[in-house]
Amino acid sequence: MKRAVLGDDRGGVTVEAAVAVCGLVAVLVLGVSAVMAVVAQLRCTDAAREAARLVARGDPGRVDGVVGEIAPEGARWAVRREGDTASVEVAVSRLGIELRARAYAVVEPGVVDG
Protein backbone atom coordinates (compact mmCIF):
# COMPACT_ATOMS: atom_id res chain seq x y z
CA MET A 1 0.00 0.00 0.00
CA LYS A 2 1.35 3.38 -0.96
CA ARG A 3 1.37 6.29 1.38
CA ALA A 4 -0.24 9.45 0.07
CA VAL A 5 2.13 12.37 0.13
CA LEU A 6 0.28 15.61 0.79
CA GLY A 7 3.27 17.77 1.48
CA ASP A 8 6.68 17.80 2.96
CA ASP A 9 6.30 17.65 6.75
CA ARG A 10 9.95 17.39 7.62
CA GLY A 11 10.84 19.67 10.54
CA GLY A 12 7.33 19.61 11.96
CA VAL A 13 8.46 17.93 15.16
CA THR A 14 11.20 20.51 15.59
CA VAL A 15 8.71 23.36 15.30
CA GLU A 16 6.34 21.70 17.75
CA ALA A 17 9.19 21.16 20.21
CA ALA A 18 10.28 24.80 19.89
CA VAL A 19 6.74 26.03 20.58
CA ALA A 20 6.43 23.69 23.56
CA VAL A 21 9.76 24.85 25.02
CA CYS A 22 8.70 28.50 24.63
CA GLY A 23 5.47 27.71 26.45
CA LEU A 24 7.31 25.94 29.25
CA VAL A 25 9.75 28.84 29.64
CA ALA A 26 6.84 31.31 29.81
CA VAL A 27 5.10 29.24 32.52
CA LEU A 28 8.37 28.95 34.44
CA VAL A 29 8.95 32.72 34.32
CA LEU A 30 5.39 33.40 35.49
CA GLY A 31 5.77 30.88 38.31
CA VAL A 32 9.05 32.36 39.52
CA SER A 33 7.57 35.87 39.33
CA ALA A 34 4.58 34.79 41.40
CA VAL A 35 6.83 33.24 44.05
CA MET A 36 8.95 36.41 44.17
CA ALA A 37 5.80 38.52 44.62
CA VAL A 38 4.63 36.31 47.50
CA VAL A 39 8.04 36.58 49.18
CA ALA A 40 7.99 40.39 48.78
CA GLN A 41 4.48 40.50 50.29
CA LEU A 42 5.61 38.43 53.27
CA ARG A 43 8.63 40.69 53.80
CA CYS A 44 6.34 43.74 53.75
CA THR A 45 4.07 42.08 56.30
CA ASP A 46 6.99 41.20 58.58
CA ALA A 47 8.41 44.72 58.33
CA ALA A 48 5.06 46.34 59.10
CA ARG A 49 4.50 44.05 62.10
CA GLU A 50 7.93 44.71 63.60
CA ALA A 51 7.63 48.45 63.04
CA ALA A 52 4.21 48.58 64.71
CA ARG A 53 5.63 46.72 67.70
CA LEU A 54 8.50 49.18 67.99
CA VAL A 55 6.17 52.18 67.90
CA ALA A 56 3.86 50.54 70.44
CA ARG A 57 6.81 49.95 72.80
CA GLY A 58 7.90 53.57 72.50
CA ASP A 59 10.91 53.12 70.23
CA PRO A 60 9.90 54.82 66.95
CA GLY A 61 13.49 55.90 66.26
CA ARG A 62 14.42 52.35 65.24
CA VAL A 63 11.58 51.94 62.74
CA ASP A 64 13.52 53.21 59.72
CA GLY A 65 16.42 50.84 60.32
CA VAL A 66 14.25 47.80 60.99
CA VAL A 67 11.91 48.35 58.05
CA GLY A 68 14.88 49.09 55.80
CA GLU A 69 16.44 45.75 56.79
CA ILE A 70 13.33 43.57 56.57
CA ALA A 71 11.30 45.09 53.73
CA PRO A 72 12.17 44.53 50.07
CA GLU A 73 14.44 47.06 48.40
CA GLY A 74 12.58 50.16 47.29
CA ALA A 75 9.83 49.80 49.89
CA ARG A 76 8.03 52.83 51.28
CA TRP A 77 6.49 53.01 54.73
CA ALA A 78 4.28 55.28 56.77
CA VAL A 79 3.86 55.28 60.54
CA ARG A 80 0.70 56.63 62.17
CA ARG A 81 0.02 57.05 65.84
CA GLU A 82 -3.57 57.82 66.77
CA GLY A 83 -4.58 57.76 70.40
CA ASP A 84 -3.57 54.44 71.91
CA THR A 85 -2.92 52.67 68.59
CA ALA A 86 0.01 52.61 66.22
CA SER A 87 -0.26 51.57 62.59
CA VAL A 88 2.40 51.03 59.99
CA GLU A 89 1.92 50.53 56.26
CA VAL A 90 4.70 49.15 54.07
CA ALA A 91 4.33 49.20 50.28
CA VAL A 92 6.49 48.20 47.35
CA SER A 93 5.88 47.95 43.61
CA ARG A 94 6.92 44.71 41.90
CA LEU A 95 6.30 43.88 38.25
CA GLY A 96 3.65 46.59 38.02
CA ILE A 97 1.79 45.31 41.06
CA GLU A 98 1.54 47.37 44.25
CA LEU A 99 2.12 45.13 47.28
CA ARG A 100 0.95 46.55 50.62
CA ALA A 101 0.93 45.34 54.19
CA ARG A 102 -0.52 47.01 57.27
CA ALA A 103 0.00 46.23 60.91
CA TYR A 104 -1.63 47.64 64.02
CA ALA A 105 -0.58 47.53 67.65
CA VAL A 106 -1.97 48.92 70.86
CA VAL A 107 0.48 51.30 72.49
CA GLU A 108 1.74 50.10 75.84
CA PRO A 109 0.71 52.06 78.92
CA GLY A 110 3.13 54.82 79.83
CA VAL A 111 4.44 55.34 76.29
CA VAL A 112 4.17 59.00 75.37
CA ASP A 113 3.52 60.21 71.83
CA GLY A 114 6.80 61.26 70.34
Side-chain angles (χ1 to χ4, degrees), residues 26-90:
V27 169
L28 179 66
V29 167
L30 287 173
V32 168
S33 297
V35 168
M36 289 174 54
V38 168
V39 168
Q41 178 67 42
L42 290 173
R43 289 181 66 190
C44 286
T45 302
D46 290 344
R49 184 186 65 234
E50 291 301 321
R53 286 180 182 169
L54 285 171
V55 172
R57 287 191 310 228
D59 198 4
R62 293 183 53 206
V63 168
D64 288 342
V66 169
V67 173
E69 254 328 285
I70 298 173
E73 189 173 327
R76 303 170 309 282
W77 56 91
V79 178
R80 290 186 185 88
R81 171 99 187 260
E82 297 175 4
D84 65 344
T85 62
S87 66
V88 177
E89 181 177 357
V90 178

Side-chain angles (χ1 to χ4, degrees), residues 7-24:
D8 189 14
D9 63 352
R10 287 181 294 162
V13 173
T14 304
V15 171
E16 290 172 3
V19 170
V21 168
C22 288
L24 289 174

Side-chain angles (χ1 to χ4, degrees), residues 90-111:
V90 178
V92 67
S93 182
R94 288 288 184 258
L95 303 171
I97 300 172
E98 187 75 15
L99 303 172
R100 293 181 182 275
R102 290 187 185 117
Y104 298 91
V106 176
V107 177
E108 293 183 8
V111 174

